[in-house]
Amino acid sequence: MIERHLMKIRARDTLSAEEEQAIRGALGEVRTHPAGRTIIRAHEELSESTLLLDGILARFKDLRSGQRQVTELHVAGDFADLHSFTLKRLDHDIMTLTPCRIVTVPHDNLRRITEAHPHLTRVYWFATNLDAAVHREWEVSLGRRTAIARMAHLFCELHVRLGIVGLVEGNRYQLDLTQLELSECLGLTSVHVNRVLRELREQGAVEFRSGRVTIRDRALLERIAEFNPSYLYLEQRAR
């Protein structure tokens, strides 16, 4: 059930059989949610964290005007709110962008892991640091990258992150997001998103059609994005 989560950990560290069993033993209830549902609301008291098994989740904030900014996307294998273990509430909402299957991990179980498995504690500390690194890269996109570079960077990042958990087929991967949802990730209008997607397609870099990303020229796409995957900390090393 959590193979993609274990794949994500093993891409950067090692797990013993005992540690894997501790993770499996910490799991709680499996739940399914349709697309477009807010599953965690800001400022709610939380006693469990959410591990995504299938689908795409988004962290976001809304303004009074109704405008929304997505601050990070989560793919299968990600903890969407591991930081709630220490914060106990979030300052943002989490919603499903596609149909999702999640499993809860009660905070009491996470506490037992920290008490009995110091290496796993460091593994999950690393995971929250990795989330922060992704946030910083998204901030650079929103603040300084051009519209076409923002889109290219998102496609490059997801190609790497989905590839780690076995959800990429060569140069293709599924991304069942609408142009409006992409606009909320990138701080653009949906009209601007349409124009940027057309420009990337005409340049021969990437094609986004029917919820599927096809990278036609990876080197070109990375050049447009100025993509450097070092912020994803892909090297495997002891934590």
Side-chain angles (χ1 to χ4, degrees):
M1 180 173 66
I2 59 166
E3 288 310 310
R4 291 195 176 107
H5 178 60
L6 298 177
M7 289 169 70
K8 179 183 175 182
I9 294 175
R10 291 191 183 109
R12 299 172 171 97
D13 205 337
T14 58
L15 286 176
S16 68
E18 181 184 4
E19 288 170 334
E20 181 178 325
Q21 186 55 43
I23 295 171
R24 294 185 185 278
L27 303 179
E29 180 184 357
V30 175
R31 300 170 185 163
T32 58
H33 298 285
R37 174 173 293 178
T38 299
I39 63 171
I40 300 172
R41 295 191 179 276
H43 313 302
E44 287 182 338
E45 191 73 14
L46 299 174
S47 61
E48 60 191 21
S49 291
T50 299
L51 176 57
L52 180 59
L53 301 176
D54 297 294
I56 298 177
L57 290 172
R59 300 190 203 181
F60 72 93
K61 287 195 171 189
D62 284 335
L63 299 178
R64 290 180 184 175
S65 64
Q67 290 182 306
R68 171 172 296 166
Q69 180 61 53
V70 172
T71 61
E72 189 175 351
L73 295 178
H74 286 289
V75 302
D78 288 355
F79 262 110
D81 63 337
L82 185 58
H83 50 305
S84 73
F85 171 50
T86 53
L87 294 177
K88 302 308 178 189
R89 59 179 175 81
L90 301 182
D91 53 86
H92 55 279
D93 300 300
I94 297 178
M95 73 177 296
T96 60
L97 293 184
T98 69
C100 289
R101 189 167 61 103
I102 62 101
V103 61
T104 63
V105 183
H107 289 168
D108 285 344
N109 294 351
L110 287 172
R111 184 179 302 106
R112 281 191 281 272
I113 284 178
T114 66
E115 292 168 350
H117 300 278
H119 175 243
L120 272 186
T121 302
R122 295 192 298 273
V123 165
Y124 285 127
W125 183 15
F126 168 80
T128 57
N129 290 336
L130 180 59
D131 278 344
V134 172
H135 275 291
R136 285 190 291 274
E137 201 65 32
W138 278 47
E139 184 176 355
V140 173
S141 282
L142 290 170
R144 292 299 177 186
R145 289 192 175 103
T146 64
I148 192 170
R150 291 182 207 180
M151 184 73 74
H153 202 279
L154 179 64
F155 286 153
C156 288
E157 178 184 298
L158 290 175
H159 185 262
V160 173
R161 291 173 61 193
L162 289 168
I164 288 170
V165 294
L167 292 175
V168 169
E169 300 172 3
N171 64 339
R172 297 180 175 88
Y173 59 87
Q174 200 67 26
L175 185 64
D176 292 315
L177 303 186
T178 66
Q179 291 190 13
L180 175 60
E181 289 164 342
L182 284 174
S183 76
E184 292 172 340
C185 292
L186 301 173
L188 304 171
T189 67
S190 55
V191 171
H192 202 170
V193 164
N194 183 272
R195 188 160 58 245
V196 168
L197 288 171
R198 183 174 64 250
E199 186 174 352
L200 285 169
R201 183 177 65 250
E202 290 173 350
Q203 289 191 32
V206 68
E207 184 173 349
F208 179 64
R209 189 182 300 274
S210 301
R212 194 162 182 82
V213 175
T214 302
I215 298 175
R216 300 297 185 190
D217 188 331
R218 183 173 175 178
L220 173 60
L221 188 67
E222 291 183 350
R223 198 157 56 245
I224 293 169
E226 297 186 48
F227 182 69
N228 180 345
S230 62
Y231 72 98
L232 296 172
Y233 293 88
L234 299 170
E235 66 273 13
Q236 189 180 65
R237 61 192 301 172
R239 306 293 167 185

